[in-house]
């Protein structure tokens, strides 16, 4: 399926531009007309992280005339393993600004628009409406559904990608010509079922594999060439080194882009829609959450506690709280952890950020350990507030 170009061509290319883009201009499918379309194009990249890094760099190099960058975060040392748009000297700097500086260095002819803010239900419609195409490089389900809903409601296409460990996926969602993200994933996964890259890790170079697919599709859509990834899901396995694509059909019953849509405006709260933790976990954690400093005080006062780290072995090896015993969350889910728990000590659970330990806490409390607690903010909070000499990840 070929689709008409997304943007009209710019009036002309300057001599500098002809020199710069000559390797594009001599490809018959791109040519002068295609390059002029890229020059006229306005593309927004949501997130200047793993996927946003290669996406922004190649979009800039390709000559996309206007590039928007939205990110609220600052560059952290743990980003540099994969977020190659940022460098060592950018640590602590807002990602949107750091990314914009790299884009300008790659191609000073690009107009960069910096949105140094979080994408929210209040600003997403206004921000998106200034662009022809969105490239979604977000890493959480709440933002993904919001990006999808806003794009469909505005009638705009977007290029989606996701990465985890050695696995990546990409597609183009454009409700006018094919399915949307909700046609593929009508419901967000149950909280705690799909770990984030922060929990499970990601191979750095995987970002380039998927980010470059996103740029490839963006250029095709803008210039109206080739067979875009509309209605197809590209699945990449870096360990097997295999790409395969599967057909994704538009769901006539889709609540957003189907025949009788029930979602006709943005949801009020995407975090609640995706549920960062399950209802059971939230209930268990309510009134049974301690801070990392409170844990430290319990340890210092010699209180008889049994501290359990519910993360995975390799996370435990990176950094762990002194005195913690490792029992991964899976052992709580299958029940085998319960026989390891002492009856005469107070159970204290922790994980990286407090989400997994809240899930485990619900199971432990259900098993009768009514005074069990978990550490809000987990190891990250311990490193931040108790022992900053430890590494964060
Ligand atoms: Zn849909």
């Amino acid at each position: 399926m070929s689709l008409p170009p997304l943007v009209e061509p710019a009036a002309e290319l300057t001599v500098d531009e002809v020199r710069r883009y000559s390797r594009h201009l001599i490809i018959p499918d791109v040519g002068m007309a295609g390059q002029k379309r890229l020059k006229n194009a306005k593309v927004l990249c949501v997130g200047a992280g793993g996927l946003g890094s290669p996406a922004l760099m190649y979009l800039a190099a390709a000559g996309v005339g206007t590039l928007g960058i939205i990110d609220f975060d600052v560059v952290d040392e743990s980003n540099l393993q994969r977020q190659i748009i940022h460098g060592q000297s950018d640590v602590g700097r807002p990602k949107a600004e750091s990314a914009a500086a790299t884009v300008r260095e790659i191609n000073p002819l690009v107009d960069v628009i910096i949105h140094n803010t979080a994408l929210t239900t209040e600003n997403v419609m206004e921000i998106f409406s200034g662009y022809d195409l969105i490239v979604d490089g977000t890493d959480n389900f709440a933002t993904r559904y919001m990006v999808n809903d806003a794009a469909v409601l505005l009638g705009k296409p977007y290029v989606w990608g996701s990465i985890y460990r050695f696995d990546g996926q990409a597609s183009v969602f454009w409700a006018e010509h094919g399915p949307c993200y909700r046609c593929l994933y009508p419901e967000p996964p149950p909280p705690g079922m799909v770990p984030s890259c922060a929990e499970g890790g990601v191979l750095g170079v995987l970002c380039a594999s998927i980010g470059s697919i996103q740029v490839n599709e963006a250029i095709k859509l803008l210039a109206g060439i080739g067979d875009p990834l509309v209605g197809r899901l590209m699945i990449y396995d870096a360990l097997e080194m295999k790409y395969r694509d599967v057909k994704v059909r538009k769901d006539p019953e889709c609540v957003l882009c189907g025949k009788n849509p029930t979602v006709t405006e943005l949801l009020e709260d995407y975090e609640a829609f995706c549920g960062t933790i399950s209802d059971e976990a939230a209930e268990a954690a309510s009134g049974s959450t301690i801070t990392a400093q409170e844990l430290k005080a319990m340890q210092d006062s010699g209180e008889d506690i049994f501290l359990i780290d519910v993360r995975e072995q390799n996370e435990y090896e990176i950094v762990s709280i002194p005195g913690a015993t490792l029992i991964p969350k899976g052992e709580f889910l299958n029940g085998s952890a319960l026989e390891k728990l002492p009856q005469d000590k107070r159970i204290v659970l922790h994980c990286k950020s407090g989400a997994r330990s809240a899930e485990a806490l619900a199971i432990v409390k259900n098993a009768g350990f009514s005074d069990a607690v978990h550490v809000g903010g987990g190891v990250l909070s311990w490193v931040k507030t108790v022992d900053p000499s430890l590494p964060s990840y």
Side-chain angles (χ1 to χ4, degrees), residues 148 152 179-184 250-251 254-258:
N148 180 70
V152 171
C180 79
Y181 183 75
R182 282 179 185 263
C183 295
L184 178 61
K250 194 176 180 78
D251 178 3
C254 176
V255 293
L256 182 67
C257 77

mmCIF file of all heavy atoms in Angstrom, residues 148 152 179-184 250-251 254-258, ligand 1:
data_model
loop_
_atom_site.group_PDB
_atom_site.id
_atom_site.type_symbol
_atom_site.label_atom_id
_atom_site.label_comp_id
_atom_site.label_asym_id
_atom_site.label_seq_id
_atom_site.Cartn_x
_atom_site.Cartn_y
_atom_site.Cartn_z
ATOM 1 N N ASN A 148 -1.371 7.922 21.328
ATOM 2 C CA ASN A 148 -2.249 7.308 20.336
ATOM 3 C C ASN A 148 -3.588 8.042 20.248
ATOM 4 O O ASN A 148 -4.053 8.387 19.164
ATOM 5 C CB ASN A 148 -2.497 5.847 20.709
ATOM 6 C CG ASN A 148 -3.413 5.148 19.716
ATOM 7 O OD1 ASN A 148 -3.032 4.889 18.577
ATOM 8 N ND2 ASN A 148 -4.650 4.866 20.120
ATOM 9 N N VAL A 152 -4.969 10.049 16.968
ATOM 10 C CA VAL A 152 -6.187 9.634 16.262
ATOM 11 C C VAL A 152 -7.208 10.775 16.265
ATOM 12 O O VAL A 152 -7.812 11.086 15.237
ATOM 13 C CB VAL A 152 -6.781 8.355 16.905
ATOM 14 C CG1 VAL A 152 -8.158 8.045 16.307
ATOM 15 C CG2 VAL A 152 -5.832 7.175 16.693
ATOM 16 N N PRO A 179 -4.944 0.567 11.278
ATOM 17 C CA PRO A 179 -5.280 0.446 12.700
ATOM 18 C C PRO A 179 -4.594 1.511 13.559
ATOM 19 O O PRO A 179 -3.681 2.201 13.096
ATOM 20 C CB PRO A 179 -4.733 -0.940 13.055
ATOM 21 C CG PRO A 179 -3.608 -1.155 12.100
ATOM 22 C CD PRO A 179 -3.993 -0.458 10.827
ATOM 23 N N CYS A 180 -5.070 1.637 14.789
ATOM 24 C CA CYS A 180 -4.375 2.460 15.775
ATOM 25 C C CYS A 180 -3.795 1.534 16.847
ATOM 26 O O CYS A 180 -3.989 0.318 16.805
ATOM 27 C CB CYS A 180 -5.301 3.523 16.372
ATOM 28 S SG CYS A 180 -6.428 2.932 17.663
ATOM 29 N N TYR A 181 -3.076 2.112 17.794
ATOM 30 C CA TYR A 181 -2.441 1.307 18.850
ATOM 31 C C TYR A 181 -3.482 0.527 19.650
ATOM 32 O O TYR A 181 -3.252 -0.613 20.064
ATOM 33 C CB TYR A 181 -1.637 2.244 19.771
ATOM 34 C CG TYR A 181 -0.871 1.556 20.875
ATOM 35 C CD1 TYR A 181 0.296 0.854 20.613
ATOM 36 C CD2 TYR A 181 -1.316 1.626 22.194
ATOM 37 C CE1 TYR A 181 1.001 0.233 21.631
ATOM 38 C CE2 TYR A 181 -0.615 1.012 23.223
ATOM 39 C CZ TYR A 181 0.542 0.316 22.933
ATOM 40 O OH TYR A 181 1.229 -0.297 23.957
ATOM 41 N N ARG A 182 -4.663 1.137 19.844
ATOM 42 C CA ARG A 182 -5.723 0.450 20.592
ATOM 43 C C ARG A 182 -6.313 -0.729 19.812
ATOM 44 O O ARG A 182 -6.860 -1.648 20.411
ATOM 45 C CB ARG A 182 -6.842 1.429 20.946
ATOM 46 C CG ARG A 182 -6.534 2.348 22.127
ATOM 47 C CD ARG A 182 -7.723 3.271 22.330
ATOM 48 N NE ARG A 182 -7.549 4.278 23.347
ATOM 49 C CZ ARG A 182 -7.991 4.162 24.607
ATOM 50 N NH1 ARG A 182 -8.592 3.062 25.004
ATOM 51 N NH2 ARG A 182 -7.823 5.147 25.461
ATOM 52 N N CYS A 183 -6.240 -0.690 18.463
ATOM 53 C CA CYS A 183 -6.682 -1.854 17.679
ATOM 54 C C CYS A 183 -5.758 -3.043 17.977
ATOM 55 O O CYS A 183 -6.197 -4.187 18.020
ATOM 56 C CB CYS A 183 -6.620 -1.562 16.191
ATOM 57 S SG CYS A 183 -7.740 -0.284 15.608
ATOM 58 N N LEU A 184 -4.478 -2.745 18.154
ATOM 59 C CA LEU A 184 -3.481 -3.792 18.427
ATOM 60 C C LEU A 184 -3.502 -4.184 19.902
ATOM 61 O O LEU A 184 -3.466 -5.366 20.244
ATOM 62 C CB LEU A 184 -2.093 -3.271 18.026
ATOM 63 C CG LEU A 184 -0.887 -4.165 18.263
ATOM 64 C CD1 LEU A 184 -0.998 -5.470 17.485
ATOM 65 C CD2 LEU A 184 0.398 -3.427 17.848
ATOM 66 N N LYS A 250 -7.348 -3.241 11.292
ATOM 67 C CA LYS A 250 -8.135 -2.246 12.008
ATOM 68 C C LYS A 250 -9.300 -2.974 12.676
ATOM 69 O O LYS A 250 -9.970 -3.792 12.047
ATOM 70 C CB LYS A 250 -8.658 -1.207 11.009
ATOM 71 C CG LYS A 250 -9.206 0.041 11.663
ATOM 72 C CD LYS A 250 -9.600 1.035 10.575
ATOM 73 C CE LYS A 250 -10.154 2.308 11.149
ATOM 74 N NZ LYS A 250 -9.103 3.194 11.649
ATOM 75 N N ASP A 251 -9.509 -2.708 13.955
ATOM 76 C CA ASP A 251 -10.590 -3.361 14.688
ATOM 77 C C ASP A 251 -11.859 -2.523 14.525
ATOM 78 O O ASP A 251 -11.923 -1.397 15.019
ATOM 79 C CB ASP A 251 -10.200 -3.461 16.168
ATOM 80 C CG ASP A 251 -11.299 -4.083 17.003
ATOM 81 O OD1 ASP A 251 -12.336 -4.481 16.435
ATOM 82 O OD2 ASP A 251 -11.122 -4.153 18.232
ATOM 83 N N CYS A 254 -12.994 -1.051 17.606
ATOM 84 C CA CYS A 254 -12.057 -0.228 18.393
ATOM 85 C C CYS A 254 -12.817 0.942 19.037
ATOM 86 O O CYS A 254 -13.575 1.641 18.361
ATOM 87 C CB CYS A 254 -10.939 0.301 17.493
ATOM 88 S SG CYS A 254 -9.791 1.409 18.340
ATOM 89 N N VAL A 255 -12.571 1.130 20.349
ATOM 90 C CA VAL A 255 -13.321 2.174 21.065
ATOM 91 C C VAL A 255 -12.928 3.575 20.590
ATOM 92 O O VAL A 255 -13.645 4.542 20.830
ATOM 93 C CB VAL A 255 -13.088 2.086 22.598
ATOM 94 C CG1 VAL A 255 -13.697 0.800 23.156
ATOM 95 C CG2 VAL A 255 -11.613 2.193 22.936
ATOM 96 N N LEU A 256 -11.767 3.661 19.908
ATOM 97 C CA LEU A 256 -11.293 4.975 19.485
ATOM 98 C C LEU A 256 -11.486 5.216 17.984
ATOM 99 O O LEU A 256 -12.001 6.257 17.587
ATOM 100 C CB LEU A 256 -9.810 5.117 19.851
ATOM 101 C CG LEU A 256 -9.142 6.441 19.535
ATOM 102 C CD1 LEU A 256 -9.718 7.551 20.404
ATOM 103 C CD2 LEU A 256 -7.629 6.341 19.760
ATOM 104 N N CYS A 257 -11.055 4.242 17.152
ATOM 105 C CA CYS A 257 -11.088 4.483 15.701
ATOM 106 C C CYS A 257 -12.071 3.571 14.995
ATOM 107 O O CYS A 257 -12.094 3.511 13.772
ATOM 108 C CB CYS A 257 -9.686 4.378 15.111
ATOM 109 S SG CYS A 257 -9.086 2.692 14.896
ATOM 110 N N GLY A 258 -12.891 2.808 15.770
ATOM 111 C CA GLY A 258 -13.858 1.884 15.166
ATOM 112 C C GLY A 258 -15.103 2.596 14.659
ATOM 113 O O GLY A 258 -15.156 3.825 14.576
HETATM 114 ZN ZN1 LIG B 1 -8.176 1.690 16.712
#
